[in-house]
Amino acid sequence: MAFVITSPCKDEKAAECVEVCPVDCIEEGKDMFYIDPDICIDCGACEAVCPVQAIFIEDEVPEEETAYIELNRKFFKKQ
């Protein structure tokens, strides 16, 4: 299970998460960042530094944000 970036990141893209990720699993998309679930080691470093509280462990994504789980997966399947 990986972390997921949700709607507060959209158009914010603060990037603190990218700077602290020890495995470089966070990539920049057109309007937000995405976490590669195949690379993420579930360390939580990104969640701790997100200034807009956009990052959640997959099982704890708020119900109104669950669409971002699939958006995240689709982002990495396109590559």
Side-chain angles (χ1 to χ4, degrees):
M1 182 178 350
F3 280 82
V4 175
I5 300 177
T6 61
S7 68
C9 182
K10 199 168 178 119
D11 298 321
E12 169 65 34
K13 297 192 343 182
E16 284 92 333
C17 57
V18 176
E19 295 169 18
V20 301
C21 181
V23 294
D24 296 324
C25 70
I26 302 172
E27 293 188 25
E28 186 172 0
K30 181 181 174 191
D31 56 1
M32 63 181 285
F33 288 100
Y34 297 89
I35 297 174
D36 188 331
D38 293 331
I39 299 173
C40 180
I41 59 170
D42 304 328
C43 70
C46 59
E47 180 184 32
V49 299
C50 181
V52 293
Q53 290 86 40
I55 303 174
F56 298 88
I57 191 91
E58 187 174 337
D59 281 351
E60 296 176 7
V61 172
E63 189 174 329
E64 65 274 9
E65 299 284 329
T66 56
Y68 284 87
I69 297 170
E70 189 58 30
L71 285 174
N72 190 75
R73 285 190 187 115
K74 285 181 180 180
F75 179 81
F76 289 100
K77 287 182 181 177
K78 286 192 264 180
Q79 298 181 1

